[in-house]
Amino acid sequence: MAQPQLQQGMPTQPGTAGPAPATTTDDACTSARSLDLVVGGPGHAFAFCNKHKVEKCDECKLDFTASIVYQKFSSPIPTSAVHPLQPVIQQKLSQAVTNTKDEGNNFYKLSKYKEALPKYNLAASIAVQRPPWEGSGVVREELSTIVSNRSATLLELGDYLGALADAETVISIRRNWPKGHFRKAKALVALGQLEEAIDSVSLGLQFEPNNAELNGYMAELQKLAETRSSITSTSEATTPDVAQPE
């Protein structure tokens, strides 16, 4: 039996119409014919009937939907298409956080604590708006610095509990940073909790034993503790005995 000869169509250029060699599913075993179709070039995942301009044509008995879907899913996604605005967003947010924090710092240096507080609040709000694809380390570093400065501001405003709460927040998001433990100790001293303050400084020194700020403050706290102990002992020694009821 003579073997069927495949009729060769002329190849087409990308994006142009013309015959291309192919077979239909119904007569692939007995005959072949050229198909009048249009195909796209590299990066263009499409093919359709040249006459009717559709992916699935019943009249011409052509169906390219399956191959088009496969091509779309198998085509590599350009890296730039994932997050095209990522560098822009990062730069804008970083600039906004830094500028707002610096405004608060300037007010703080001028002892304008009431003006500094809203600047730190705004800077913290901006810092937490970073997109999810950014690393958490960026947010932790920015936010811990801002909240630490706000803790110092609240301390100066006499809100010792607020200062303590901010210090605890700093420690929770950046535990190994000595500044958080320093802020906590300062707030505890203001609240009259000297022993707890010493414990806080001791914990911070475990992460950075040579930290000058913590070591200096520890010396102050120990001296203060000795003074208070001396005053308490003197007071107890000079207190007259009170007659007890019979």
Side-chain angles (χ1 to χ4, degrees):
M1 179 183 297
Q3 296 297 324
Q5 299 296 319
L6 296 180
Q7 181 180 351
Q8 300 295 329
M10 295 298 293
T12 62
Q13 295 296 324
T16 60
T23 61
T24 60
T25 55
D26 293 337
D27 55 2
C29 296
T30 58
S31 64
R33 63 184 178 85
S34 297
L35 301 180
D36 191 14
L37 57 85
V38 175
V39 296
H44 298 80
F46 63 85
F48 48 82
C49 166
N50 183 43
K51 181 178 180 181
H52 302 99
K53 301 298 187 292
V54 292
E55 297 174 359
K56 182 177 181 180
C57 182
D58 295 333
E59 182 177 343
C60 298
K61 296 182 179 181
L62 297 175
D63 186 358
F64 300 105
T65 53
S67 60
I68 291 172
V69 170
Y70 172 78
Q71 177 66 25
K72 289 180 179 179
F73 279 94
S74 61
S75 299
I77 300 176
T79 304
S80 59
V82 179
H83 296 296
L85 298 179
Q86 180 175 349
V88 178
I89 294 175
Q90 288 177 326
Q91 182 179 3
K92 294 294 184 181
L93 281 175
S94 297
Q95 184 177 359
V97 170
T98 300
N99 291 343
T100 310
K101 181 191 67 176
D102 288 346
E103 291 176 2
N105 292 345
N106 292 333
F107 281 125
Y108 184 90
K109 293 175 183 178
L110 296 173
S111 299
K112 295 183 177 181
Y113 307 117
K114 290 184 179 180
E115 291 81 358
L117 184 60
K119 294 298 181 180
Y120 292 137
N121 290 338
L122 179 58
S125 299
I126 299 173
V128 297
Q129 293 179 17
R130 286 191 173 277
W133 64 76
E134 291 196 37
S136 60
V138 177
V139 179
R140 289 176 183 271
E141 184 174 352
E142 286 183 343
L143 193 59
S144 60
T145 302
I146 296 167
V147 178
S148 173
N149 292 353
R150 189 173 67 180
S151 176
T153 303
L154 291 172
L155 187 70
E156 295 293 344
L157 290 172
D159 185 359
Y160 304 142
L161 288 176
L164 178 61
D166 271 358
E168 292 282 13
T169 300
V170 173
I171 294 173
S172 67
I173 62 179
R174 198 175 170 188
R175 186 173 177 80
N176 62 344
W177 191 38
K179 183 68 72 173
H181 302 280
F182 174 76
R183 297 296 187 207
K184 181 179 179 180
K186 296 279 284 188
L188 288 170
V189 169
L191 291 169
Q193 301 179 22
L194 182 58
E195 293 182 1
E196 290 81 357
I198 293 176
D199 292 339
S200 180
V201 175
S202 298
L203 180 57
L205 287 171
Q206 292 182 17
F207 295 102
E208 194 171 320
N210 297 323
N211 184 270
E213 187 174 47
L214 287 181
N215 280 304
Y217 196 49
M218 175 64 85
E220 292 182 21
L221 294 180
Q222 290 175 342
K223 185 176 181 179
L224 180 59
E226 292 174 1
T227 301
R228 289 188 179 182
S229 178
S230 177
I231 293 175
T232 300
S233 299
T234 303
S235 176
E236 292 177 350
T238 59
T239 301
D241 293 336
V242 179
Q244 299 295 326
E246 296 181 359

